[in-house]
Each structure stands twice: as C-alpha cells, then as structure tokens.
mmCIF file of all heavy atoms in Angstrom:
data_model
loop_
_atom_site.group_PDB
_atom_site.id
_atom_site.type_symbol
_atom_site.label_atom_id
_atom_site.label_comp_id
_atom_site.label_asym_id
_atom_site.label_seq_id
_atom_site.Cartn_x
_atom_site.Cartn_y
_atom_site.Cartn_z
ATOM 1 N N VAL A 18 -24.062 -136.716 303.552
ATOM 2 C CA VAL A 18 -25.271 -136.859 302.705
ATOM 3 C C VAL A 18 -25.241 -138.184 301.990
ATOM 4 O O VAL A 18 -24.453 -138.432 301.136
ATOM 5 C CB VAL A 18 -25.358 -135.759 301.614
ATOM 6 C CG1 VAL A 18 -26.584 -135.791 300.769
ATOM 7 C CG2 VAL A 18 -25.355 -134.337 302.379
ATOM 8 N N ALA A 19 -26.284 -139.036 302.390
ATOM 9 C CA ALA A 19 -26.297 -140.396 301.827
ATOM 10 C C ALA A 19 -27.277 -140.543 300.687
ATOM 11 O O ALA A 19 -27.051 -141.305 299.741
ATOM 12 C CB ALA A 19 -26.638 -141.381 302.958
ATOM 13 N N TYR A 20 -28.302 -139.699 300.754
ATOM 14 C CA TYR A 20 -29.228 -139.627 299.683
ATOM 15 C C TYR A 20 -29.797 -138.318 299.362
ATOM 16 O O TYR A 20 -29.996 -137.518 300.295
ATOM 17 C CB TYR A 20 -30.704 -140.520 300.172
ATOM 18 C CG TYR A 20 -30.181 -141.837 300.618
ATOM 19 C CD1 TYR A 20 -29.895 -142.264 301.823
ATOM 20 C CD2 TYR A 20 -30.133 -142.910 299.599
ATOM 21 C CE1 TYR A 20 -29.529 -143.464 302.267
ATOM 22 C CE2 TYR A 20 -29.700 -144.225 299.941
ATOM 23 C CZ TYR A 20 -29.436 -144.510 301.285
ATOM 24 O OH TYR A 20 -29.030 -145.751 301.652
ATOM 25 N N ARG A 21 -29.927 -137.948 298.071
ATOM 26 C CA ARG A 21 -30.455 -136.685 297.687
ATOM 27 C C ARG A 21 -31.695 -136.938 296.832
ATOM 28 O O ARG A 21 -31.656 -137.652 295.835
ATOM 29 C CB ARG A 21 -29.455 -136.121 296.739
ATOM 30 C CG ARG A 21 -28.206 -135.512 297.437
ATOM 31 C CD ARG A 21 -27.179 -135.101 296.404
ATOM 32 N NE ARG A 21 -26.109 -134.441 297.102
ATOM 33 C CZ ARG A 21 -25.762 -133.263 297.300
ATOM 34 N NH1 ARG A 21 -26.686 -132.316 297.097
ATOM 35 N NH2 ARG A 21 -24.649 -132.875 298.025
ATOM 36 N N VAL A 22 -32.853 -136.540 297.451
ATOM 37 C CA VAL A 22 -34.181 -136.620 296.715
ATOM 38 C C VAL A 22 -34.857 -135.336 296.686
ATOM 39 O O VAL A 22 -34.709 -134.530 297.484
ATOM 40 C CB VAL A 22 -34.963 -137.698 297.478
ATOM 41 C CG1 VAL A 22 -34.392 -139.153 297.251
ATOM 42 C CG2 VAL A 22 -35.285 -137.373 298.848
ATOM 43 N N ASP A 23 -35.680 -135.233 295.547
ATOM 44 C CA ASP A 23 -36.355 -133.880 295.303
ATOM 45 C C ASP A 23 -37.857 -133.963 295.726
ATOM 46 O O ASP A 23 -38.669 -133.024 295.520
ATOM 47 C CB ASP A 23 -36.217 -133.343 293.983
ATOM 48 C CG ASP A 23 -36.899 -134.233 292.918
ATOM 49 O OD1 ASP A 23 -37.461 -135.247 293.307
ATOM 50 O OD2 ASP A 23 -36.915 -133.792 291.827
ATOM 51 N N SER A 24 -38.290 -135.091 296.442
ATOM 52 C CA SER A 24 -39.644 -135.237 296.770
ATOM 53 C C SER A 24 -39.691 -135.205 298.377
ATOM 54 O O SER A 24 -38.998 -136.059 299.082
ATOM 55 C CB SER A 24 -40.180 -136.540 296.275
ATOM 56 O OG SER A 24 -41.323 -136.922 297.080
ATOM 57 N N PHE A 25 -40.591 -134.373 298.936
ATOM 58 C CA PHE A 25 -40.691 -134.404 300.326
ATOM 59 C C PHE A 25 -41.315 -135.799 300.836
ATOM 60 O O PHE A 25 -40.827 -136.180 301.925
ATOM 61 C CB PHE A 25 -41.859 -133.281 300.584
ATOM 62 C CG PHE A 25 -42.230 -133.080 302.066
ATOM 63 C CD1 PHE A 25 -41.338 -132.499 302.982
ATOM 64 C CD2 PHE A 25 -43.491 -133.617 302.481
ATOM 65 C CE1 PHE A 25 -41.792 -132.424 304.373
ATOM 66 C CE2 PHE A 25 -43.863 -133.499 303.830
ATOM 67 C CZ PHE A 25 -42.954 -132.767 304.773
ATOM 68 N N GLU A 26 -42.229 -136.407 300.139
ATOM 69 C CA GLU A 26 -42.763 -137.691 300.505
ATOM 70 C C GLU A 26 -41.627 -138.693 300.502
ATOM 71 O O GLU A 26 -41.634 -139.581 301.450
ATOM 72 C CB GLU A 26 -43.895 -138.017 299.605
ATOM 73 C CG GLU A 26 -45.084 -137.197 299.940
ATOM 74 C CD GLU A 26 -45.596 -137.266 301.347
ATOM 75 O OE1 GLU A 26 -45.642 -138.300 301.926
ATOM 76 O OE2 GLU A 26 -46.025 -136.243 301.984
ATOM 77 N N MET A 27 -40.750 -138.562 299.558
ATOM 78 C CA MET A 27 -39.731 -139.674 299.584
ATOM 79 C C MET A 27 -38.725 -139.387 300.760
ATOM 80 O O MET A 27 -38.227 -140.506 301.266
ATOM 81 C CB MET A 27 -38.933 -139.483 298.247
ATOM 82 C CG MET A 27 -37.697 -140.545 298.032
ATOM 83 S SD MET A 27 -38.268 -142.267 298.042
ATOM 84 C CE MET A 27 -38.809 -142.348 296.418
ATOM 85 N N VAL A 28 -38.441 -138.258 301.086
ATOM 86 C CA VAL A 28 -37.686 -137.876 302.265
ATOM 87 C C VAL A 28 -38.159 -138.664 303.460
ATOM 88 O O VAL A 28 -37.598 -139.423 304.172
ATOM 89 C CB VAL A 28 -37.395 -136.460 302.435
ATOM 90 C CG1 VAL A 28 -36.827 -136.227 303.799
ATOM 91 C CG2 VAL A 28 -36.551 -135.881 301.367
ATOM 92 N N ARG A 29 -39.643 -138.367 303.688
ATOM 93 C CA ARG A 29 -40.167 -138.932 304.897
ATOM 94 C C ARG A 29 -40.231 -140.465 304.882
ATOM 95 O O ARG A 29 -39.999 -141.131 305.876
ATOM 96 C CB ARG A 29 -41.716 -138.332 304.902
ATOM 97 C CG ARG A 29 -41.645 -136.976 305.289
ATOM 98 C CD ARG A 29 -43.014 -136.283 305.491
ATOM 99 N NE ARG A 29 -44.228 -137.065 304.875
ATOM 100 C CZ ARG A 29 -45.304 -137.217 305.532
ATOM 101 N NH1 ARG A 29 -45.552 -136.548 306.791
ATOM 102 N NH2 ARG A 29 -46.405 -137.862 305.042
ATOM 103 N N SER A 30 -40.468 -141.070 303.740
ATOM 104 C CA SER A 30 -40.489 -142.421 303.520
ATOM 105 C C SER A 30 -39.005 -143.062 303.795
ATOM 106 O O SER A 30 -38.967 -144.041 304.572
ATOM 107 C CB SER A 30 -40.859 -142.961 302.170
ATOM 108 O OG SER A 30 -40.837 -144.273 302.084
ATOM 109 N N LEU A 31 -38.077 -142.510 303.238
ATOM 110 C CA LEU A 31 -36.653 -142.995 303.538
ATOM 111 C C LEU A 31 -36.362 -142.839 304.956
ATOM 112 O O LEU A 31 -35.655 -143.931 305.647
ATOM 113 C CB LEU A 31 -35.644 -142.289 302.676
ATOM 114 C CG LEU A 31 -35.650 -142.584 301.092
ATOM 115 C CD1 LEU A 31 -34.680 -141.668 300.396
ATOM 116 C CD2 LEU A 31 -35.193 -144.111 300.931
ATOM 117 N N VAL A 32 -36.613 -141.783 305.583
ATOM 118 C CA VAL A 32 -36.318 -141.620 307.055
ATOM 119 C C VAL A 32 -37.007 -142.691 307.851
ATOM 120 O O VAL A 32 -36.509 -143.361 308.669
ATOM 121 C CB VAL A 32 -36.500 -140.233 307.476
ATOM 122 C CG1 VAL A 32 -36.394 -140.100 308.966
ATOM 123 C CG2 VAL A 32 -35.490 -139.259 306.676
ATOM 124 N N ALA A 33 -38.372 -142.681 307.614
ATOM 125 C CA ALA A 33 -39.262 -143.623 308.301
ATOM 126 C C ALA A 33 -38.679 -145.129 308.266
ATOM 127 O O ALA A 33 -38.871 -145.893 309.204
ATOM 128 C CB ALA A 33 -40.756 -143.561 307.919
ATOM 129 N N ASN A 34 -38.155 -145.400 307.152
ATOM 130 C CA ASN A 34 -37.652 -146.779 306.883
ATOM 131 C C ASN A 34 -36.219 -147.043 307.364
ATOM 132 O O ASN A 34 -35.510 -147.978 306.960
ATOM 133 C CB ASN A 34 -37.904 -147.266 305.516
ATOM 134 C CG ASN A 34 -39.326 -147.537 305.306
ATOM 135 O OD1 ASN A 34 -39.841 -148.526 305.751
ATOM 136 N ND2 ASN A 34 -40.057 -146.628 304.603
ATOM 137 N N GLY A 35 -35.594 -146.097 308.027
ATOM 138 C CA GLY A 35 -34.358 -146.141 308.693
ATOM 139 C C GLY A 35 -33.034 -145.819 307.826
ATOM 140 O O GLY A 35 -31.905 -146.228 308.043
ATOM 141 N N PHE A 36 -33.223 -145.207 306.674
ATOM 142 C CA PHE A 36 -32.200 -144.772 305.669
ATOM 143 C C PHE A 36 -31.340 -143.690 306.244
ATOM 144 O O PHE A 36 -30.249 -143.444 305.680
ATOM 145 C CB PHE A 36 -32.646 -144.534 304.266
ATOM 146 C CG PHE A 36 -33.107 -145.793 303.653
ATOM 147 C CD1 PHE A 36 -34.443 -146.244 303.766
ATOM 148 C CD2 PHE A 36 -32.208 -146.540 302.837
ATOM 149 C CE1 PHE A 36 -34.761 -147.479 303.008
ATOM 150 C CE2 PHE A 36 -32.626 -147.655 302.126
ATOM 151 C CZ PHE A 36 -33.945 -148.214 302.215
ATOM 152 N N GLY A 37 -31.752 -142.969 307.206
ATOM 153 C CA GLY A 37 -31.044 -141.819 307.785
ATOM 154 C C GLY A 37 -31.917 -140.760 308.380
ATOM 155 O O GLY A 37 -33.117 -141.128 308.663
ATOM 156 N N TYR A 38 -31.465 -139.553 308.636
ATOM 157 C CA TYR A 38 -32.269 -138.542 309.195
ATOM 158 C C TYR A 38 -32.477 -137.364 308.207
ATOM 159 O O TYR A 38 -31.761 -137.389 307.079
ATOM 160 C CB TYR A 38 -31.506 -137.870 310.447
ATOM 161 C CG TYR A 38 -30.399 -136.997 310.079
ATOM 162 C CD1 TYR A 38 -30.602 -135.689 309.863
ATOM 163 C CD2 TYR A 38 -29.190 -137.658 309.870
ATOM 164 C CE1 TYR A 38 -29.400 -134.911 309.585
ATOM 165 C CE2 TYR A 38 -27.992 -136.856 309.539
ATOM 166 C CZ TYR A 38 -28.192 -135.527 309.332
ATOM 167 O OH TYR A 38 -27.113 -134.680 308.967
ATOM 168 N N ALA A 39 -33.328 -136.566 308.405
ATOM 169 C CA ALA A 39 -33.417 -135.369 307.582
ATOM 170 C C ALA A 39 -33.687 -134.059 308.309
ATOM 171 O O ALA A 39 -34.001 -134.199 309.530
ATOM 172 C CB ALA A 39 -34.618 -135.651 306.700
ATOM 173 N N LEU A 40 -33.564 -133.051 307.784
ATOM 174 C CA LEU A 40 -33.868 -131.756 308.444
ATOM 175 C C LEU A 40 -34.967 -131.013 307.610
ATOM 176 O O LEU A 40 -34.885 -130.880 306.342
ATOM 177 C CB LEU A 40 -32.616 -130.779 308.373
ATOM 178 C CG LEU A 40 -31.414 -131.244 309.126
ATOM 179 C CD1 LEU A 40 -30.198 -130.083 309.123
ATOM 180 C CD2 LEU A 40 -31.838 -131.444 310.554
ATOM 181 N N LEU A 41 -36.128 -130.726 308.279
ATOM 182 C CA LEU A 41 -37.247 -130.273 307.595
ATOM 183 C C LEU A 41 -37.912 -129.162 308.468
ATOM 184 O O LEU A 41 -37.779 -129.234 309.700
ATOM 185 C CB LEU A 41 -38.344 -131.317 307.322
ATOM 186 C CG LEU A 41 -37.821 -132.532 306.371
ATOM 187 C CD1 LEU A 41 -38.920 -133.634 306.391
ATOM 188 C CD2 LEU A 41 -37.621 -131.889 304.984
ATOM 189 N N ASN A 42 -38.666 -128.346 307.822
ATOM 190 C CA ASN A 42 -39.260 -127.191 308.497
ATOM 191 C C ASN A 42 -40.788 -127.676 308.773
ATOM 192 O O ASN A 42 -41.359 -127.011 309.535
ATOM 193 C CB ASN A 42 -39.457 -125.926 307.734
ATOM 194 C CG ASN A 42 -38.096 -125.287 307.523
ATOM 195 O OD1 ASN A 42 -37.388 -125.726 306.585
ATOM 196 N ND2 ASN A 42 -37.731 -124.464 308.444
ATOM 197 N N PHE A 43 -41.138 -128.664 308.117
ATOM 198 C CA PHE A 43 -42.648 -129.039 308.212
ATOM 199 C C PHE A 43 -42.743 -130.565 308.232
ATOM 200 O O PHE A 43 -42.236 -131.263 307.368
ATOM 201 C CB PHE A 43 -43.384 -128.485 307.033
ATOM 202 C CG PHE A 43 -44.805 -128.922 306.911
ATOM 203 C CD1 PHE A 43 -45.810 -128.501 307.774
ATOM 204 C CD2 PHE A 43 -45.290 -129.793 305.938
ATOM 205 C CE1 PHE A 43 -47.101 -128.818 307.755
ATOM 206 C CE2 PHE A 43 -46.570 -130.202 305.958
ATOM 207 C CZ PHE A 43 -47.419 -129.774 306.834
ATOM 208 N N VAL A 44 -43.244 -131.092 309.330
ATOM 209 C CA VAL A 44 -43.212 -132.551 309.530
ATOM 210 C C VAL A 44 -44.615 -133.130 309.940
ATOM 211 O O VAL A 44 -44.916 -133.310 311.126
ATOM 212 C CB VAL A 44 -42.064 -133.087 310.596
ATOM 213 C CG1 VAL A 44 -41.913 -134.435 310.551
ATOM 214 C CG2 VAL A 44 -40.891 -132.314 310.409
ATOM 215 N N PRO A 45 -45.505 -133.245 308.930
ATOM 216 C CA PRO A 45 -46.638 -133.880 309.301
ATOM 217 C C PRO A 45 -46.544 -135.321 309.717
ATOM 218 O O PRO A 45 -45.658 -135.936 309.396
ATOM 219 C CB PRO A 45 -47.566 -133.756 307.974
ATOM 220 C CG PRO A 45 -46.620 -133.591 306.861
ATOM 221 C CD PRO A 45 -45.413 -133.005 307.501
ATOM 222 N N PRO A 46 -47.456 -135.906 310.439
ATOM 223 C CA PRO A 46 -47.342 -137.221 310.835
ATOM 224 C C PRO A 46 -47.174 -138.181 309.639
ATOM 225 O O PRO A 46 -47.706 -137.926 308.508
ATOM 226 C CB PRO A 46 -48.775 -137.634 311.502
ATOM 227 C CG PRO A 46 -49.259 -136.240 311.950
ATOM 228 C CD PRO A 46 -48.748 -135.335 310.776
ATOM 229 N N TYR A 47 -46.508 -139.294 309.864
ATOM 230 C CA TYR A 47 -46.332 -140.275 308.820
ATOM 231 C C TYR A 47 -46.661 -141.671 309.389
ATOM 232 O O TYR A 47 -46.138 -142.188 310.315
ATOM 233 C CB TYR A 47 -44.804 -140.360 308.394
ATOM 234 C CG TYR A 47 -44.422 -141.267 307.347
ATOM 235 C CD1 TYR A 47 -44.513 -140.921 305.985
ATOM 236 C CD2 TYR A 47 -44.066 -142.575 307.549
ATOM 237 C CE1 TYR A 47 -44.361 -141.697 304.920
ATOM 238 C CE2 TYR A 47 -43.670 -143.411 306.436
ATOM 239 C CZ TYR A 47 -43.838 -142.978 305.154
ATOM 240 O OH TYR A 47 -43.559 -143.843 304.183
ATOM 241 N N ASN A 48 -47.783 -142.225 308.799
ATOM 242 C CA ASN A 48 -48.207 -143.403 309.287
ATOM 243 C C ASN A 48 -48.689 -144.349 308.129
ATOM 244 O O ASN A 48 -49.808 -144.303 307.627
ATOM 245 C CB ASN A 48 -49.457 -143.138 310.152
ATOM 246 C CG ASN A 48 -50.002 -144.401 310.878
ATOM 247 O OD1 ASN A 48 -49.321 -145.484 310.774
ATOM 248 N ND2 ASN A 48 -50.937 -144.454 311.588
ATOM 249 N N VAL A 49 -47.708 -145.004 307.580
ATOM 250 C CA VAL A 49 -47.999 -145.884 306.441
ATOM 251 C C VAL A 49 -47.770 -147.348 306.852
ATOM 252 O O VAL A 49 -46.728 -147.719 307.284
ATOM 253 C CB VAL A 49 -47.123 -145.476 305.262
ATOM 254 C CG1 VAL A 49 -47.223 -146.483 304.060
ATOM 255 C CG2 VAL A 49 -47.203 -144.069 304.885
ATOM 256 N N TYR A 50 -48.852 -148.193 306.685
ATOM 257 C CA TYR A 50 -48.799 -149.457 307.110
ATOM 258 C C TYR A 50 -47.587 -150.236 306.460
ATOM 259 O O TYR A 50 -47.194 -150.159 305.317
ATOM 260 C CB TYR A 50 -50.027 -150.284 306.616
ATOM 261 C CG TYR A 50 -50.103 -151.704 307.149
ATOM 262 C CD1 TYR A 50 -50.349 -152.008 308.386
ATOM 263 C CD2 TYR A 50 -49.925 -152.667 306.196
ATOM 264 C CE1 TYR A 50 -50.298 -153.335 308.825
ATOM 265 C CE2 TYR A 50 -49.835 -154.058 306.457
ATOM 266 C CZ TYR A 50 -50.018 -154.393 307.948
ATOM 267 O OH TYR A 50 -50.085 -155.601 308.343
ATOM 268 N N GLY A 51 -46.805 -150.975 307.327
ATOM 269 C CA GLY A 51 -45.655 -151.789 306.935
ATOM 270 C C GLY A 51 -44.436 -150.949 306.814
ATOM 271 O O GLY A 51 -43.328 -151.559 306.638
ATOM 272 N N HIS A 52 -44.468 -149.699 307.140
ATOM 273 C CA HIS A 52 -43.294 -148.775 307.240
ATOM 274 C C HIS A 52 -43.061 -148.359 308.640
ATOM 275 O O HIS A 52 -43.914 -148.415 309.505
ATOM 276 C CB HIS A 52 -43.352 -147.617 306.178
ATOM 277 C CG HIS A 52 -43.588 -147.993 304.791
ATOM 278 N ND1 HIS A 52 -42.446 -147.995 303.969
ATOM 279 C CD2 HIS A 52 -44.641 -148.391 304.001
ATOM 280 C CE1 HIS A 52 -42.866 -148.465 302.856
ATOM 281 N NE2 HIS A 52 -44.146 -148.584 302.758
ATOM 282 N N GLY A 53 -41.917 -147.653 308.877
ATOM 283 C CA GLY A 53 -41.565 -147.227 310.217
ATOM 284 C C GLY A 53 -42.350 -145.879 310.322
ATOM 285 O O GLY A 53 -43.145 -145.429 309.611
ATOM 286 N N THR A 54 -42.168 -145.339 311.405
ATOM 287 C CA THR A 54 -42.737 -143.955 311.838
ATOM 288 C C THR A 54 -41.612 -142.872 312.044
ATOM 289 O O THR A 54 -40.532 -143.239 312.240
ATOM 290 C CB THR A 54 -43.624 -144.152 313.101
ATOM 291 O OG1 THR A 54 -42.781 -144.555 314.184
ATOM 292 C CG2 THR A 54 -44.708 -145.085 312.935
ATOM 293 N N LEU A 55 -41.984 -141.746 312.037
ATOM 294 C CA LEU A 55 -41.168 -140.575 312.304
ATOM 295 C C LEU A 55 -41.239 -139.985 313.568
ATOM 296 O O LEU A 55 -42.264 -139.876 314.226
ATOM 297 C CB LEU A 55 -41.399 -139.601 311.239
ATOM 298 C CG LEU A 55 -41.346 -139.948 309.701
ATOM 299 C CD1 LEU A 55 -41.813 -138.760 308.938
ATOM 300 C CD2 LEU A 55 -39.896 -140.288 309.493
ATOM 301 N N THR A 56 -40.126 -139.396 314.054
ATOM 302 C CA THR A 56 -40.050 -138.473 315.309
ATOM 303 C C THR A 56 -39.313 -137.329 314.901
ATOM 304 O O THR A 56 -38.336 -137.429 314.144
ATOM 305 C CB THR A 56 -39.278 -139.313 316.397
ATOM 306 O OG1 THR A 56 -40.042 -140.501 316.811
ATOM 307 C CG2 THR A 56 -39.130 -138.397 317.564
ATOM 308 N N SER A 57 -39.771 -136.162 315.323
ATOM 309 C CA SER A 57 -39.104 -134.965 315.050
ATOM 310 C C SER A 57 -38.637 -134.329 316.326
ATOM 311 O O SER A 57 -39.310 -134.427 317.419
ATOM 312 C CB SER A 57 -39.880 -134.019 314.213
ATOM 313 O OG SER A 57 -40.951 -133.545 314.944
ATOM 314 N N ARG A 58 -37.460 -133.680 316.349
ATOM 315 C CA ARG A 58 -36.957 -133.140 317.463
ATOM 316 C C ARG A 58 -36.407 -131.656 317.065
ATOM 317 O O ARG A 58 -35.939 -131.512 315.932
ATOM 318 C CB ARG A 58 -35.742 -133.821 318.017
ATOM 319 C CG ARG A 58 -36.108 -135.119 318.605
ATOM 320 C CD ARG A 58 -36.898 -135.012 319.923
ATOM 321 N NE ARG A 58 -37.395 -136.110 320.414
ATOM 322 C CZ ARG A 58 -38.734 -136.532 320.481
ATOM 323 N NH1 ARG A 58 -39.611 -135.783 319.879
ATOM 324 N NH2 ARG A 58 -39.005 -137.651 320.964
ATOM 325 N N PRO A 59 -36.430 -130.713 317.955
ATOM 326 C CA PRO A 59 -35.839 -129.353 317.529
ATOM 327 C C PRO A 59 -34.372 -129.452 317.443
ATOM 328 O O PRO A 59 -33.648 -130.204 317.849
ATOM 329 C CB PRO A 59 -36.162 -128.578 318.793
ATOM 330 C CG PRO A 59 -37.217 -129.317 319.679
ATOM 331 C CD PRO A 59 -36.868 -130.735 319.224
ATOM 332 N N LEU A 60 -33.922 -128.638 316.447
ATOM 333 C CA LEU A 60 -32.416 -128.450 316.231
ATOM 334 C C LEU A 60 -31.995 -127.356 317.192
ATOM 335 O O LEU A 60 -32.428 -126.234 316.997
ATOM 336 C CB LEU A 60 -32.159 -128.140 314.861
ATOM 337 C CG LEU A 60 -30.732 -128.112 314.211
ATOM 338 C CD1 LEU A 60 -30.093 -129.508 314.563
ATOM 339 C CD2 LEU A 60 -30.603 -127.922 312.869
ATOM 340 N N ALA A 61 -31.021 -127.704 318.055
ATOM 341 C CA ALA A 61 -30.674 -126.838 319.003
ATOM 342 C C ALA A 61 -29.849 -125.591 318.624
ATOM 343 O O ALA A 61 -29.917 -124.494 319.306
ATOM 344 C CB ALA A 61 -29.834 -127.529 320.221
ATOM 345 N N ASP A 62 -29.128 -125.733 317.603
ATOM 346 C CA ASP A 62 -28.079 -124.622 317.216
ATOM 347 C C ASP A 62 -28.448 -123.846 315.920
ATOM 348 O O ASP A 62 -27.638 -123.628 315.174
ATOM 349 C CB ASP A 62 -26.652 -125.129 317.240
ATOM 350 C CG ASP A 62 -26.545 -126.473 316.475
ATOM 351 O OD1 ASP A 62 -27.557 -127.047 316.051
ATOM 352 O OD2 ASP A 62 -25.507 -127.146 316.488
ATOM 353 N N VAL A 63 -29.614 -123.399 315.730
ATOM 354 C CA VAL A 63 -30.039 -122.777 314.639
ATOM 355 C C VAL A 63 -30.285 -121.281 315.088
ATOM 356 O O VAL A 63 -31.054 -121.126 316.042
ATOM 357 C CB VAL A 63 -31.441 -123.240 314.000
ATOM 358 C CG1 VAL A 63 -31.837 -122.314 312.879
ATOM 359 C CG2 VAL A 63 -31.115 -124.634 313.285
ATOM 360 N N ASP A 64 -29.666 -120.306 314.536
ATOM 361 C CA ASP A 64 -29.637 -118.863 314.913
ATOM 362 C C ASP A 64 -31.089 -118.289 314.649
ATOM 363 O O ASP A 64 -31.567 -117.499 315.396
ATOM 364 C CB ASP A 64 -28.525 -118.026 314.306
ATOM 365 C CG ASP A 64 -27.310 -118.601 314.644
ATOM 366 O OD1 ASP A 64 -27.039 -119.197 315.779
ATOM 367 O OD2 ASP A 64 -26.318 -118.539 313.819
ATOM 368 N N ARG A 65 -31.588 -118.429 313.473
ATOM 369 C CA ARG A 65 -32.748 -117.806 313.031
ATOM 370 C C ARG A 65 -33.694 -118.861 312.280
ATOM 371 O O ARG A 65 -33.401 -119.162 311.222
ATOM 372 C CB ARG A 65 -32.367 -116.607 312.081
ATOM 373 C CG ARG A 65 -33.582 -115.785 311.566
ATOM 374 C CD ARG A 65 -33.100 -114.927 310.430
ATOM 375 N NE ARG A 65 -34.078 -114.554 309.465
ATOM 376 C CZ ARG A 65 -34.870 -115.286 308.582
ATOM 377 N NH1 ARG A 65 -34.647 -116.598 308.630
ATOM 378 N NH2 ARG A 65 -35.596 -114.716 307.786
#
C-alpha cells in the first residue's frame, strides 16, 4: 500500500497518473485532459 486516500476520484486520478493500481467495484471512464487514462481488468482469484 503506497497511498491511502478516502476519495474515489482521488484514487482514479492517482492511478491514471501512474502512481499505482487500485481495486474497485465500479470503474467509470476517466478522461481528464492532461492526465493518463484507466484500464480495468477482472481479478481472477476472487471467490465471491
């Protein structure tokens, strides 16, 4: 855990800008001029 933030938008911004990855249940598109973009992938080993 490199960063702990309590804002969903801050998580998306930090990830889009290359600070790390996140695990989220809801990932709307992120398209902010001058920032990176997001890609989401399924997590293979979740039981439920």
Side-chain angles (χ1 to χ4, degrees):
V18 178
Y20 304 94
R21 294 175 177 263
V22 295
D23 66 356
S24 161
F25 178 76
E26 289 303 319
M27 181 63 79
V28 168
R29 293 185 341 140
S30 178
L31 287 172
V32 172
N34 285 287
F36 286 85
Y38 74 92
L40 298 181
L41 298 171
N42 295 87
F43 176 68
V44 190
Y47 184 84
N48 188 8
V49 177
Y50 180 75
H52 295 266
T54 57
L55 297 175
T56 299
S57 63
R58 294 290 176 253
L60 188 58
D62 44 2
V63 173
D64 299 328
R65 178 192 158 297

